Each structure stands twice: as structure tokens, then as C-alpha cells.
Amino acid sequence: MTAAEQGFPAKEQAPKTIYLKDYQVPPYLIKTTDLRFEIYEGETLVSAMLHLYRNPAAAPASQLTLHGADLELVSIALDGKILGADDYEFGEENLTIFNTPAEFKLLTITKIKPESNTSLEGLYRSRTMYCTQCEAEGFRKITYYLDRPDVMSEFTTTVVADKKFPVLLSNGNLIDQGDAENNRHYATWHDPFKKPAYLFALVAGDLAHIEDSFTTCSGRDVTLKIFVEPKDLDKCDHAMTSLKNSMRWDEEVYGREYDLNIFMIVAVDDFNMGAMENKGLNIFNTSCVLAKPETTTDVGFQRVEGVVAHEYFHNWSGNRVTCRDWFQLSLKEGFTVYRDSEFSADMGSRTVKRVEDVTLLRTLQFAEDAGPMAHPIRPESYIEISNFYTMTVYEKGAEIIRMLATLLGKEHFRKGTDLYFDRHDGQAVTTEDFVAALADASGRDLTLFKRWYSQAGTPRLHITDHYDEDAQEYSLTIKQSCPPTPECQEKLPFHIPIAMGLLGSAGDLPLYLKNAEPDFETGDNTHKVLELTSAEQTFVFERVQEKPVPSLLRGFSAPVKMHYDYSIADLIVLMSRDSDGFNRWEASQQLGLHAIHQAMKVYQQGGDLKNWALEPDLIAAYRSILQDDSLDKAMVAYMLSLPSEAYLSELADLVDVEAIHYSRTAVRIALAHALRDELMRVYQDYDHQQPYSATADAIAARSLKNVALGYLMLLNDDALVQACEQQYRTSNNMTDVMAALTQLVNSSSPLAQQLAVKALDDFYQRWQHESLVVNQWLTVQASCVLPGTLATVKKLQQHPAYDGKNPNKIRALISSFCNGNPINFHANAGVGYEFLADQIIALNSQNPQIASRLLTPLTKWKKYNVQRQSLMKAQLERIMAVSDLSKDVYEVVSKSLV
Ligand code: B3K
Ligand code: ZN
């Protein structure tokens, strides 16, 4: 199909596709980069002195093409000589300079307008401060440059601004500062570490900060500073503690020491994503730094800890060793997500963290892998790289590293990462280099494993078993397959580690794998990692004295969809006594799925789900979880929580939105009735007056109590509604306040509805000056499952609390409705789809990255019934017809319409 046929404006070319196979080394390299920013109200002048030299690894070039976008060139000089119009030429987003010598200094002066930069990429203004976001290709919006990660340079940066911006920051160490004319001042920063331009950062603002210090393992003192708007100074402690814990953990677990004398974090309100790992000067979305019990939920606290760690860990996995090109993004992102996830597991509960990560992966990443934007963790091509900061590159990327760690074992994996960091320190490398270091250090052949980097899609495992009582042999036959994805129809088998055990009547059975070496490393003969490397393999266990229940894919040892024909009785056994905590939870989810699927059949046949009852064994199983004191309360909470509507949709070939919603609700109501007494006990035993603490145990106790409240509120009992309202009014922390408010807002009981209106009003009055808290207030309303929510969302767009330019507000209101509220988003013949398309069209020119991200729910149109398909597709076509469509939106829409 031509671009015109696809609706792309005829006068323009369809955006270009970039291919990994076309990679070429840069013709020039940049030894040093000296920048001077003169910040004035309305415009900023950027002087850039680049010391360029021909790349010895490239064919000698005598012209140089620099990247540049939305820049006004004021002057350009080569080795001190001002260039004339014939000496260079402007292209689309670039500037070519002719007759360039082997080595030279290029001075450019450009003018930019941060105040009108709404894309939040490059240098922009957020409320009272100036800040930057350069990854992936934002530096070209600051000055003409070789804006690619394999060009690494030593940066010196001077920032000059009015004294009403007292804090002037950039990467590295402060080497000079002082006054300038007209009540202005300057600061000069030097970063001794060579870095690509995407890690550049600058901040100028009236900021307050907290300060601490960290002594590294070699005894160096590092100053730690967190900068925020003065009103937020009381919300920085948790981020600081998380930072210090991360620094220590990276020394202990990976042998990585911090390298500069100062590490700074700045919190910014307008930010496209969570945070950015700029060298020595991390810039964070306020939502990922600020936390205090009164304003922040437990999930918020955990997010701060995780994101602070993630960005800090990038100092090695990303900054010291960086990516050769953007196809290698998972080299730094997958590895760093794996690192932050292990850190969080060590700080709290390993099993709980695993359940959370897998839930995210199976709902969002699996859906991505099954949709039109599916791509391998190392994509082969892209139109706009910003579209590839995905669940696949991040979360599936982390799973690939986790599998490598499982296959190599702890010791070899650490040897491998040590070798990787040593071998490539200061370089821009590829995922091949990473795997090669692991293979070299461990002596393992990882050739087959590398298919995980090049093949997209979620592999399926189909497992059958056979028990031969006479021979006392038990065999598992495992078949693998992988559905086609846009880039590849026929997949080769993956190398899949399958952690497993066998449950007998008295516990885990010892495992004697036929024809295998004894497992010396773990010293544990009840747990094994089987390695599947072909389309079908059979593993035989000897000396098995009874027919076992297999516990498969323990800890979710591979990102696959597994099928084994478990009976309800098997699942109950696994849920109540598997030694693998993750698989206990997994069994609870399978039981929940079974119940929901039964209810769905009734719903789809026009049956009545009122008074839907559950099978007695199932109720008994759930009851026993509630009574099991040995279980972590957070695990009890997760085991009691049924699979989400999003996960149920991902599992379905054809999504029946109403059947999923009403059946899931019916099962929840049935559980609430059956377990009323136990749930009441959980709720009442909880001491609502205890002081807040953010320890894993305290978080777990709150989550279980609030899960119980969620079930109890389904009973529509006025006394319980009153208790919920009391929790809303009297709690000393945002977790409990939000849990109660969410229940009131979503309850159909008339009393709850009345109380919800009051509570929402009271909440806003109380928190209107706390932007992040107001976001939670927007989300709770946008997520309401009762009818009429779209009208509420539209009304809230006009509310003074809403700001259609701020990504956090857009996420809180628009994304929460379109992604998190299927029963309303898909209601009323497509009005939700039209609403979303309107938002995307409005955002397309204002903030293309956010516009493109919002598209996700429409890209899944093929999963719905014919009527919905055509309504969703019509909206995609409407977006496609917009003139001046950004590359970001064009790529996702055009791929979705194929
Ligand atoms: N590396 C950044 C993401 C940048 C996204 C640019 N569109 C944050 C992170 O993953 O740590
Ligand atoms: Zn990252």
C-alpha cells in the first residue's frame, strides 16, 4: 500500500523506516563538546564548540551531516572562519557542512525557544524551571550534533541565567561559578566521562534540595542531592534512602562503584515518562521521586524505590557501557529492569515482587507481542524510536536476562557481568557483545539462546505427562511453538529454561532425571531447571514412587504461555502446598480463571449471574488461604485477587467485554458471600490506628485488609459502607484513604453513592494544592465502572485541576479511562473510541510521544467483535487522515491498519 493509499498526506513523503542492517559507523567522532547556554525569557542561545575528527574506523569523509531539529542557526564557524551559505546545506532535520578537514573545531550558535517546546524533548520549560530530556534523539533540538549513541564526547557546559533561577546544573562536577551582567549568573560543569549526547542534561530553576552523602566501597565520599520545588522538600526522604540502598546494593551484588563526586536528582512536573539517567544528574517525573505517607500510596512508595534504583543502576548498565545504536535499547533497559527488579526483591519480598512483575508482563507485554506493534527485544526496524520504549524492550528484555541468570547460575552470571563491564567500559556496544561476555565467562554456548533477541511473539508450551507405576518412571513431554508476528511467520525453537519440581502426597519429591548429571550446584534435588531447546523434548524422571502433581515453570522461569491439563484437585494441591510461592499464586489464578470462565459461559448463553455460586472445593481452597498464617499477607492478598479484566482480555481470542466484566464481578460477589466471616475478621483484626510505616510487612497487612474491604463492599451492606467511609475519613495514610474512596466510588449501593459524592468533594478541597494527589483523584473517577464515567471524564477535562499539557494529568484522566476501564471505554457504540481519537489528534502536534502512547487501546481492534472492530478502525482511519501527522503517531496507526 502506498503512503497516499494509507491516508498519509500526499504532498509529504511517508516517514522513513530505519533498519538495523543499515548500521554504519559514524564518519566523524567528537573529542570534546563545549556548550554555553544563555537562557533568556522566551529564547535561549546555545553556543556549541565541537572538536571533531575523522573516525579511523570509517571511510574518509570530506563532508559532515549533523542532526538538528527546530533550531534557528545564528552563526557557524569552522576553525574560526565564519562559513557562508555555500559552505553548508540544510536538510530535513539535518545540516551538511562541505569540505570538512580530517580534524577541526566547529562553533555553532543556535537559538531555541524552550518556552514553546510542548514536546517535552530537548530543552523545555516546566512550571518554574528549565530542564532537558535528550533520550533518544532530543539533543538535536538543542544544537547541531552527531546525535547518535556511538558518538561519545567529553562535555563541558556553562549555563548563564537570571538570578531568579539560582540553581544551575549540568552533568559532572561543578568547576566554576560566578556573577554575570544584568543580575545574571553562571555555572560551569565538567563531566570527565565520555558520553553520548542522549545523556546530557541541564537544569535551571528556583529549587530547594536535601543533601546527604555516601561513602563508596573504596572509601570515596559522594555528595547526594535531591532538588525539588520548595513546597515538596518534605517528600524527598524516601527517594534519598532508596538511592543510598541502591548504591550499596550495586556494590555488593554487581561490584559496581559510583564514579563521580556528586549525584543529583531533580524532580520535574512535566515529564513524558518516569525518569532519565543523565550522567550524574538524573531528571525525574515528580511522581517517581516525591513520597510521604499522607500523599502517597504504598504502590507510589514502591515505585519511587524502584525508579530511583533503576536510574542509578543505569550509571553502569547504560552510561559507562552504552548502546551502539537504538536497536540495542534492551541492552541497557532489559538489563537495568532486571537489576532493579532484583534490588526490589532483596528490599522486600522476592515472591511478591515476582508476582507483580509477571502480572505486568502477562497483561501488557503479552498483549503487545500479540498485536500489530509486536517486535523482538532487539527490533530490526523502526520509524520513530520513541515508539520502542516498550514493555517488550523493557519487561520482556528483563525476562531474557533473568533466563540467562537462571541458565548460568549465580556465580557464572556474575563472572559474565564483570567481564561485560570490564571489557566494554567506555564503549557503545551491542546485545551480541553482552551475550558474548556471558558465554565467554561461563563457557556456555548461547547460540540458540540468542533467538530470544531476534524473534518476537510469546512462545507456547504444551506439556503432557505419563506415569509408569511399574517402572516408577514419570515423563514430561514438552512441545513448544510460537505464533507468527509481523516480522516473522515461522519461528525457530527457543532455548527455554523450565524450573520445576514434583509434588507427592508428603511434599516435594526428589528428582532423578534419567541420563543427567547430578545437580551439584544447587545441592537441592527437589528443584530442577529443564532446558528445552527443540520443538519437542521428553524428560524422564526415575524412582518416582507415586503419581506426582508437577509444579512447572516455577518462579515463571520463562516468558511463555504454558498449558498443562491440571485438574481442579491438582490446582488446589499446588495452591495450598507447593514449595514455590510463585506457583502457589499461579494456581490461585488458574482456579480463579476456571470459575470466571464457567460464569462467562452462563452469561454468554443468556443465563442469570445473580446468586452465582462457586464450587464448594474452590471456596474451601480460598478459605484455607485466608486461614494460612504461614503465608505472607501480601501473597494472601494477591492469591485472593482474581485475574484482572485486562489479563482475561489478553487470554481471549475474541474479547467479550461485558461477559468478562460481569462474570468476574459475579465470582467476586460469590466469594464475598461465601467468605464473609473470614474477610470480616481480616478487616476487623487490622489496627486502623497504628502509625504508618512503609516496611514490606506493613504494606502487606494494608493490602490484605484493603482486598478484604473490596470484597465486603460487594455485599451492599450499609454498616460496611459506613465502615468504609470511616476508613476514608480517619486513615492516616493515602493507601487506606484511596482504597476506601475507590470502593465508595465504585459501589452501586445508594448509601455509598451518596457518601462518594461527599468524599470526592472533600478530597479535592483538602488536596487541591498537591498536584500528584489530585492526579489520584482524577484516576479514581476515570476508573469508575458504573455507567456515566465518560461524561465525568469530559467534565473533569474542564476542571481547574486538569491541565491537558501535563503528561501526568493526561495519564491520570485519559489513560485511566481508555486503558483501565474497559466496560465504559467500549460502551455506547464507540463514543469512547471517538473520544480517544479526539485526544490523540489534539496531542499529535503538541506532544507526539504522549499522543502515540495513547493509541494502544485502539491498536487492539482486531480482538473485538465485528461491530466494535469497525468502530475502532474508523477512528484509526480518522487519525490517519490528519495532516501533519507526527512520525510517532503515523508509525503506530499505519502498522495497526495493516
Ligand atoms: N532511559 C529513559 C527512557 C527515555 C525515554 C525516551 N523517550 C528512562 C529509563 O528507562 O530509565
Ligand atoms: Zn531505563
Side-chain angles (χ1 to χ4, degrees):
M1 218 189 330
T2 65
E5 280 162 357
Q6 288 177 4
F8 202 78
K11 60 179 166 29
E12 294 169 36
Q13 292 283 303
K16 222 173 77 210
T17 301
I18 321 280
Y19 294 93
L20 168 59
K21 63 177 168 38
D22 293 343
Y23 172 82
Q24 288 191 336
V25 294
Y28 276 86
L29 296 171
I30 308 176
K31 196 169 182 330
T32 53
T33 300
D34 285 272
L35 301 169
R36 183 178 172 89
F37 290 78
E38 297 267 0
I39 299 177
Y40 295 97
E41 203 72 48
E43 65 181 38
T44 292
L45 279 177
V46 184
S47 314
M49 173 71 92
L50 313 181
H51 183 163
L52 288 134
Y53 62 101
R54 277 193 197 130
N55 182 358
S62 55
Q63 64 176 42
L64 168 67
T65 299
L66 298 172
H67 302 107
D70 308 332
L71 303 173
E72 183 184 330
L73 183 64
V74 177
S75 70
I76 176 162
L78 195 153
D79 285 335
K81 183 177 157 283
I82 302 275
L83 297 184
D86 291 346
D87 299 322
Y88 57 88
E89 183 179 86
F90 290 103
E92 208 185 310
E93 304 217 338
N94 60 47
L95 169 70
T96 300
I97 304 159
F98 306 121
N99 303 319
T100 45
E103 185 170 350
F104 62 101
K105 288 200 170 157
L106 184 75
L107 176 64
T108 59
I109 300 179
T110 45
K111 198 187 274 180
I112 51 176
K113 294 196 161 57
E115 288 79 1
S116 47
N117 178 355
T118 55
S119 68
L120 313 187
E121 206 187 21
L123 177 66
Y124 64 94
R125 176 97 183 223
S126 172
R127 290 163 57 90
T128 57
M129 68 179 100
Y130 291 88
C131 62
T132 52
Q133 171 53 36
C134 295
E135 189 179 356
E137 297 178 335
F139 193 74
R140 63 189 62 185
K141 292 186 166 182
I142 292 176
T143 191
Y144 288 103
Y145 204 76
L146 283 168
D147 187 9
R148 45 188 288 172
D150 54 356
V151 173
M152 302 172 77
S153 179
E154 190 179 322
F155 280 68
T156 306
T157 305
T158 299
V159 189
V160 195
D162 192 286
K163 284 187 178 166
K164 71 180 179 201
F165 304 105
V167 175
L168 305 175
L169 310 173
S170 191
N171 318 84
N173 302 311
L174 182 66
I175 54 170
D176 191 16
Q177 59 184 329
D179 287 342
E181 281 174 10
N182 298 328
N183 200 37
R184 291 163 67 78
H185 67 148
Y186 73 93
T188 302
W189 294 80
H190 172 245
D191 182 356
F193 292 94
K194 278 168 57 158
K195 64 169 176 289
Y198 84 85
L199 290 172
F200 170 81
L202 173 159
V203 169
D206 185 5
L207 303 170
H209 73 272
I210 65 163
E211 183 169 337
D212 207 328
S213 72
F214 179 84
T215 307
T216 70
C217 50
S218 74
R220 277 188 312 103
D221 281 330
V222 181
T223 303
L224 312 176
K225 293 184 179 182
I226 300 181
F227 293 88
V228 293
E229 285 188 28
K231 66 178 175 57
D232 291 323
L233 205 55
D234 59 340
K235 306 186 195 81
C236 300
D237 291 350
H238 181 61
M240 186 62 92
T241 306
S242 305
L243 175 60
K244 288 190 286 181
N245 288 341
S246 310
M247 295 177 88
R248 189 62 73 215
W249 187 90
D250 213 16
E251 292 183 345
E252 287 170 3
V253 180
Y254 281 85
R256 301 293 115 201
E257 184 181 1
Y258 186 62
D259 47 13
L260 288 163
N261 300 330
I262 183 162
F263 185 86
M264 298 175 282
I265 288 178
V266 180
V268 175
D269 216 37
D270 300 280
F271 207 65
N272 281 345
M273 66 279 169
M276 178 63 213
E277 68 264 25
N278 317 298
K279 182 78 189 188
L281 177 56
N282 286 189
I283 298 185
F284 271 60
N285 189 322
T286 42
S287 69
C288 296
V289 190
L290 307 179
K292 70 171 183 177
E294 295 77 11
T295 58
T296 314
T297 61
D298 292 338
V299 171
F301 268 81
Q302 286 167 331
R303 183 163 163 75
V304 168
E305 181 182 73
V307 179
V308 166
H310 180 98
E311 305 311 331
Y312 174 73
F313 297 153
H314 267 315
N315 190 54
W316 275 96
S317 47
N319 301 4
R320 289 286 285 258
V321 183
T322 194
C323 301
R324 186 193 73 173
D325 54 71
W326 292 120
F327 296 102
Q328 318 299 327
L329 186 55
S330 199
L331 172 78
K332 73 179 178 79
E333 295 306 346
F335 187 23
T336 306
V337 172
Y338 172 69
R339 276 150 56 68
D340 84 57
S341 157
E342 285 292 292
F343 165 75
S344 296
D346 284 346
M347 294 296 120
S349 151
R350 180 158 286 273
T351 310
V352 170
K353 176 65 178 153
R354 192 68 190 131
V355 164
E356 289 165 353
D357 288 350
V358 172
T359 301
L360 188 75
L361 185 86
R362 288 208 295 212
T363 41
L364 303 182
Q365 196 281 323
F366 280 16
E368 188 167 272
D369 243 349
M373 284 294 288
H375 52 277
I377 66 161
R378 188 195 54 209
E380 300 287 330
S381 70
Y382 59 76
I383 291 177
E384 169 52 63
I385 186 58
S386 299
N387 284 328
F388 287 79
Y389 287 76
T390 56
M391 282 284 150
T392 300
V393 165
Y394 276 66
E395 318 304 323
K396 185 174 178 181
E399 294 298 320
I400 306 312
I401 309 297
R402 179 175 300 279
M403 286 191 287
L404 284 167
T406 304
L407 289 169
L408 264 58
K410 211 174 168 165
E411 212 175 292
H412 280 137
F413 182 71
R414 169 66 194 268
K415 272 196 190 148
T417 59
D418 281 354
L419 179 62
Y420 168 71
F421 289 126
D422 289 352
R423 195 184 261 179
H424 298 297
D425 190 7
Q427 298 176 4
V429 302
T430 64
T431 55
E432 295 274 341
D433 294 319
F434 181 82
V435 178
L438 262 52
D440 291 350
S442 65
R444 287 220 43 171
D445 181 355
L446 298 172
T447 316
L448 264 188
F449 186 86
K450 285 197 282 189
R451 289 180 185 159
W452 283 106
Y453 283 88
S454 57
Q455 298 189 141
T458 308
R460 265 89 167 132
L461 297 186
H462 195 273
I463 307 185
T464 50
D465 62 352
H466 176 72
Y467 180 56
D468 181 339
E469 197 175 351
D470 297 336
Q472 305 237 315
E473 279 189 357
Y474 175 74
S475 60
L476 283 170
T477 298
I478 311 183
K479 288 186 193 167
Q480 62 163 306
S481 63
C482 184
T485 45
E487 95 298 349
C488 175
Q489 298 299 303
E490 298 275 331
K491 309 289 166 86
L492 294 167
F494 290 88
H495 183 172
I496 304 177
I498 303 169
M500 50 80 63
L502 298 176
L503 263 70
S505 45
D508 277 8
L509 301 176
L511 303 176
Y512 305 103
L513 190 59
K514 208 169 179 171
N515 306 324
E517 300 282 319
D519 198 341
F520 292 118
E521 197 179 347
T522 60
D524 168 9
N525 69 344
T526 62
H527 179 88
K528 247 198 156 34
V529 178
L530 307 177
E531 293 192 28
L532 184 67
T533 50
S534 47
E536 180 174 341
Q537 262 166 269
T538 297
F539 299 88
V540 180
F541 296 90
E542 298 170 313
R543 289 185 266 165
V544 182
Q545 287 170 2
E546 56 181 309
K547 183 174 186 334
V549 177
S551 168
L552 302 165
L553 208 68
R554 281 182 164 170
F556 202 68
S557 59
V560 298
K561 288 188 177 183
M562 185 197 78
H563 174 81
Y564 170 86
D565 202 6
Y566 282 116
S567 68
I568 298 296
D570 289 342
L571 290 172
I572 290 174
V573 166
L574 288 168
M575 176 161 91
S576 50
R577 56 185 178 79
D578 194 346
S579 59
D580 183 65
F582 177 86
N583 270 6
R584 289 187 73 175
W585 170 78
E586 175 61 8
S588 77
Q589 298 304 287
Q590 293 300 326
L591 285 169
L593 275 179
H594 165 80
I596 294 168
H597 284 149
Q598 277 191 326
M600 277 173 74
K601 273 190 211 137
V602 173
Y603 181 89
Q604 285 166 333
Q605 285 159 8
D608 189 1
L609 287 179
K610 223 172 164 200
N611 305 323
W612 169 260
L614 289 168
E615 292 163 28
D617 305 6
L618 227 106
I619 295 173
Y622 278 108
R623 178 171 290 121
S624 70
I625 299 174
L626 268 166
Q627 289 166 341
D628 186 343
D629 290 336
S630 71
L631 269 171
D632 178 343
K633 285 193 166 66
M635 284 311 296
V636 178
Y638 279 129
M639 288 166 88
L640 284 177
S641 302
L642 295 179
S644 67
E645 291 181 29
Y647 184 50
L648 291 161
S649 305
E650 201 290 311
L651 290 177
D653 291 326
L654 180 74
V655 182
D656 185 339
V657 178
E658 286 73 18
I660 286 177
H661 179 75
Y662 293 113
S663 306
R664 183 176 182 276
T665 306
V667 174
R668 279 172 52 77
I669 292 172
L671 270 176
H673 280 288
L675 302 175
R676 182 191 174 111
D677 293 347
E678 290 80 4
L679 292 163
M680 281 295 282
R681 198 164 320 121
V682 167
Y683 192 71
Q684 284 163 347
D685 282 357
Y686 184 83
D687 174 6
H688 287 263
Q689 299 314 316
Q690 64 188 290
Y692 178 86
S693 132
T695 60
D697 282 350
I699 291 174
R702 268 190 296 280
S703 75
L704 178 56
K705 179 259 304 187
N706 286 327
V707 165
L709 175 66
Y711 275 108
L712 292 168
M713 282 293 282
L714 293 168
L715 300 172
N716 280 354
D717 171 329
D718 279 358
L720 291 167
V721 172
Q722 307 269 14
C724 182
E725 195 273 340
Q726 187 180 354
Q727 174 171 326
Y728 165 75
R729 230 180 333 100
T730 59
S731 295
N732 59 10
N733 67 84
M734 189 49 81
T735 306
D736 288 340
V737 169
M738 277 315 294
L741 186 60
T742 304
Q743 294 308 328
L744 289 175
V745 167
N746 282 284
S747 168
S748 54
S749 118
L751 175 62
Q753 279 304 292
Q754 229 179 330
L755 295 171
V757 173
K758 275 200 206 144
L760 282 169
D761 190 41
D762 166 82
F763 190 95
Y764 183 70
Q765 293 309 326
R766 176 141 184 228
W767 296 111
Q768 56 183 300
H769 302 299
E770 291 280 1
S771 180
L772 295 175
V773 183
V774 170
N775 294 350
Q776 300 178 58
W777 178 79
L778 293 171
T779 297
V780 77
Q781 295 178 80
S783 314
C784 172
V785 295
L786 304 178
T789 302
L790 179 56
T792 309
V793 170
K794 287 182 176 170
K795 211 165 122 200
L796 285 168
Q797 282 186 298
Q798 308 308 322
H799 193 281
Y802 189 70
D803 171 1
K805 290 202 164 54
N806 177 276
N808 288 352
K809 299 267 181 260
I810 297 169
R811 280 185 278 263
L813 190 64
I814 316 295
S815 287
S816 300
F817 177 76
C818 300
N819 281 302
N821 195 344
I823 193 70
N824 276 309
F825 175 63
H826 292 280
N828 302 329
V831 289
Y833 312 151
E834 191 182 351
F835 168 75
L836 176 56
D838 288 345
Q839 310 310 308
I840 292 165
I841 291 168
L843 277 163
N844 170 57
S845 48
Q846 179 190 311
N847 188 331
Q849 285 182 23
I850 298 293
S852 172
R853 294 217 155 222
L854 278 179
L855 276 162
T856 308
L858 289 175
T859 64
K860 298 183 186 151
W861 60 280
K862 286 185 183 155
K863 290 202 70 165
Y864 295 86
N865 65 28
V866 182
Q867 194 211 356
R868 284 185 170 139
Q869 282 196 10
S870 74
L871 292 166
M872 292 167 96
K873 191 165 171 243
Q875 294 307 322
L876 286 170
E877 284 163 347
R878 181 158 79 94
I879 298 170
M880 196 66 183
V882 166
S883 57
D884 293 329
L885 210 53
S886 61
K887 278 199 283 181
D888 310 60
V889 174
Y890 171 79
E891 177 168 35
V892 178
V893 178
S894 60
K895 288 182 175 173
S896 302
L897 282 173
V898 170

